[in-house]
Amino acid sequence: MVHAVTTDRITPLLHRYPFLHQYYVGRLRTDLSRWAERGLVRREDVDAILKDAGAADRAPGSLPNLLALLGAVLVAAGALLFLAANWEGMGRIAKLAVLSAALWGAHAASYAALRVRSDQFAEAMMLLGVALFGAGIMLIGQIYHLSADPPAGVLLWALGAIVAAWAWPSQLAACGALVLISLWFTLAAPESPLAVYLPFLPVWAAMLPPILRTRWMAAYHVALASAAWFVVVTLVMLMSEDAGASEDLLRLGSALAALFLTAGSLLSALVPAVPFAVPLERYALTGALAAVSLLALPSFHDGRAAGDPWWSGMAALVLLAALAGAVFRWRLASDRLALGAVVLVAVAVGCAVVPAEHGWLALAALNLALVAALIGLIAEGYRRDDRFVVNLGFLAFALTILRLYFDTFWLLFDRSLFFMVGGLLVIALGWILERKRRHLIGGLGEAA
Amino acid sequence: MNREGSGREPLTRGSRLLILALVQTAVLAALIGYRQWTLETGTPVVLAIRPVDPRSLFQGDYVQLSYEIGHLRIDRLAGDDDLERGETVFVDLQPGRPAWQATGVWRRRPVAAPTGAVLRGRVDWVAEQQCEESGTGESTAIVPCRIAGIHYGIESYFVPEGKGREWERPVEGERIDIRVAVNRAGTPAISAILVNGQPQVEEGLF
C-alpha cells in the first residue's frame, strides 16, 4: 500500500522533470548489473527491464510527443495545399513522383528519428506515412478514374493502418486503424444486402492481439467504442429496415449488453485481465441501462401486440448465456453486478410475452424493476469501491425518478401545480442525491 | 551503455519500417497495375451514356456519367429479376451499333458468349414503375415494369483542365460514347471517350 502511494506521487514528477527520470534509469542500470551479478535477476532480463524503464520516460500526451504530432499534421496539410494549388498543371508522372517522395520521405524521416532514438517523432512520422498512404489511395483513384467505391478505399486504408499498428507496434496507429475500420463499416453497411454486416468483425478482431498483448488501454477503449458503434448501428439499421419492432431490437440489445457485462465480470475474476475487464463492464453496463430505460418509457410503446417470437427467442437465448455466466461469477466471488443486470434485463425481455391488453402492467413492473435495480446498483458500486458505478447509478436514478414524475403527473395535475411540484422535486432530489453521493464517494476515498 | 542493445533495436524497427513502406507502395502500385492490366487485356466494350452537355466533359471537372446500362428493365432481360439493393450482379453485354446492349442480369456470373462480355456491377435501387412500351405501329402502351439502377464504378471521370482545352470540343448533337475495357473478373476501366465513334481521349499509363 505504502509503495503504491509513493510510486503514484513520484511518477508525475518523473514525467515533468526528465533529468529525474535519467537519474532513475542510471541508478536502475547500476543496481541491475549488481543484482545480475548476485543472481537476483537473470542477465537476459536486464536489457528488457532497462528498455521498459527508458520507454516509460515519455508520458502519452507529453509536450514533445504532441509537438511531433502537430508537426506531422502541419507537414501533411502543407503538402496537400501545395498539391491542390499545383495539381492541374502537373502530369501523371509528376503527381506519382510527389506522392511516392512524400510517402518514402515520411518513412525516411521516421527511420532517421529512430537512429537518434527519438521514438515519439519516429512514430509521428510513421503515422504521417499512414495518412499519406490514404491520400495516395484517393489521389490514384482520381488520377486513374478508379471505380468510385469509397468503402473499399477506406478499407484498404484501414488495412494499411493495421499493418502499421502491428509492425511498429504503435498504439496511435491502432487507434487510427480502429477509427478507419468503423468508418468503413459505416459506409459499407448501408449499401450491403447483409442485414448484419459481419465482415466488420474479423477486421475489427485483427486489432485485438496487439492491443491485448501490449496492453494498449487507449486503443482498447477505442476498440470497445467501435464495437458498441457496430452493435448500435446494426440495431438501428434493422429497425429502419422494418426487420423488427424497436422494442424487440432494444430487448435484444439489452440482452447483448448483459452478456458483455457478464463477460467483463468473468474477466475481472482473472487477475491479469482486470484492466481489460473494467472498461468492458462499464460500456456494457451503460448500454444495458440505456436500453432498459428506453424500454421503460411509456411513449416508446405503440400499443402493438406482444413481442415477435423470433426476436424474443433470440434475446432469451442471449440472456440465458449471460445468466449462466453471471451465476457462475456470483458463486465465484459473490459479485452481484452482472447478476443484477441479467435479472433487470430478464424483466424487460419477459415483458415481450405479456399480452398487449396488459401492456401497462408489464410497463409498471419494468419501471419498478428499473428503480430497484438502480438502488441495487448504487449499493453494489459502494460495496465494490467503484466511483463510476456509484455515479452512474445516481445519475440514472435521478433521471428515472424525474421521468416517472413527468409520465405520471403530466396529465393528472393542473399545469401550474405540475411545474411547482416538479420544481420542488428537482430541488429536493438534487440536494438529497448529491449529499448521499458525496457521502458515499467520501466513504470510498476513506475506504481506499 | 549497452551499445549492442541500443544498436540492434533501431535496426529491427528500421526493417519493420521498410516492410511497411514497401507494403504501402506495393498496394498503391497494384491499384495502378490492376487498372493497366484491365486496359491491356480486357474486352473493349462501347457503352452509350445518357444525354450530357458535351462541353461539360471538357471543362476540367468531374463528370458524372450516367450509362444506358445503368437503368435496366430487369423484368424483360434474361437472368434474375428478384434483385435487391446492394447485391453484386453480372450484366451480360452483346455488341451492338454503336453501343453494346445488355441482354441479361445475373446474380451468379454467366459464361460470356464468345462475342460478348460480362460486366460486374452493384444494384443501387430496384423500383416498380410504369413504362411506355411501343406496340404495333405508332401506338404506345403504359405497362407495369421493374427497373434496377446499377452502378459499375466507372460513373465519374476527371478531365484535367489543361488537357481539356487541347481537345477538340464536340458540339451539341454529336454523339458521345464511352469505351471501357472489361477484364476477366468483370471489372471495367474507362479506356476512351468516343465522339461520333472516334476516340477523342485515350487512357494510358501516364
Side-chain angles (χ1 to χ4, degrees), chain A residues 47 92 107 144 147 167 190, chain B residues 2 16 24 62 85 153 203 205:
Chain A
D47 277 356
R92 275 184 181 172
H107 287 303
Y144 287 102
S147 67
Chain B
N2 188 335
R16 288 176 181 183
Q24 290 177 341
Y62 266 112
R85 186 176 68 92
E203 279 293 326
L205 186 54

Side-chain angles (χ1 to χ4, degrees), chain A residues 14-15 17-26 53-58:
Chain A
L14 289 181
H15 289 316
Y17 304 110
F19 68 91
L20 276 182
H21 186 266
Q22 283 165 13
Y23 167 75
Y24 159 69
V25 175
D57 182 4
R58 294 105 184 168

Side-chain angles (χ1 to χ4, degrees), chain A residues 334-355:
Chain A
S334 78
D335 187 279
R336 286 177 286 247
L337 189 66
L339 194 58
V342 168
V343 171
L344 174 65
V345 173
V347 175
V349 173
C351 290
V353 297
V354 178

Side-chain angles (χ1 to χ4, degrees), chain A residues 108-368:
Chain A
S110 182
Y111 182 67
L114 272 184
R115 291 299 295 266
V116 297
R117 300 189 69 79
S118 173
D119 281 16
Q120 303 298 316
F121 189 74
E123 189 170 350
M125 286 295 110
M126 187 272 303
L127 266 183
L128 176 63
V130 172
L132 285 167
F133 174 62
I137 294 171
M138 288 185 265
L139 293 180
I140 286 177
Q142 189 206 50
I143 301 171
Y144 287 102
H145 323 285
L146 295 189
S147 67
D149 189 358
V154 175
L155 175 62
L156 205 55
W157 190 5
L159 292 178
I162 292 174
V163 173
W166 274 80
W168 188 261
S170 157
Q171 171 158 231
L172 276 175
C175 293
L178 284 162
V179 170
L180 287 172
I181 292 167
S182 309
L183 179 63
W184 159 65
F185 160 73
T186 312
L187 292 173
E191 282 186 11
S192 158
L194 297 172
V196 178
Y197 197 70
L198 290 175
F200 167 82
L201 291 176
V203 183
W204 177 82
M207 272 333 298
L208 285 187
I211 290 177
L212 299 180
R213 196 181 54 232
T214 328
R215 299 194 162 245
W216 287 332
M217 292 320 290
Y220 180 63
H221 274 276
V222 180
L224 286 185
S226 174
W229 176 246
F230 169 72
V231 173
V232 170
V233 169
T234 302
L235 288 177
V236 169
M237 269 174 32
L238 287 172
M239 273 185 217
S240 62
E241 280 171 17
D242 232 18
S246 317
E247 287 139 294
D248 285 328
L249 288 161
L250 270 178
R251 283 187 201 112
L252 179 60
S254 62
L256 281 173
L259 184 65
F260 287 129
L261 176 57
T262 306
S265 190
L266 284 172
L267 269 184
S268 70
L270 304 169
V271 174
V274 170
F276 296 110
V278 174
L280 179 57
E281 273 189 317
R282 290 179 177 177
Y283 275 93
L285 180 65
T286 313
L289 280 184
V292 175
S293 300
L294 278 176
L295 278 169
L297 291 178
S299 50
F300 200 79
H301 293 258
D302 51 8
R304 278 202 289 190
D308 176 77
W310 194 86
W311 288 105
S312 306
M314 284 281 288
L317 269 182
V318 172
L319 197 61
L320 268 181
L323 179 67
V327 168
F328 180 68
R329 180 72 180 93
W330 175 58
R331 294 186 61 111
L332 208 65
S334 78
D335 187 279
R336 286 177 286 247
L337 189 66
L339 194 58
V342 168
V343 171
L344 174 65
V345 173
V347 175
V349 173
C351 290
V353 297
V354 178
E357 59 266 30
H358 299 300
W360 63 271
L361 204 65
L363 192 63
L366 181 59
N367 273 290
L368 265 178

Side-chain angles (χ1 to χ4, degrees), chain A residues 63-87:
Chain A
L63 193 60
N65 193 0
L66 289 178
L67 285 180
L69 268 179
L70 187 67
V73 171
L74 285 176
V75 170
L80 285 178
L81 281 176
F82 175 80
L83 281 181
N86 296 283
W87 194 246

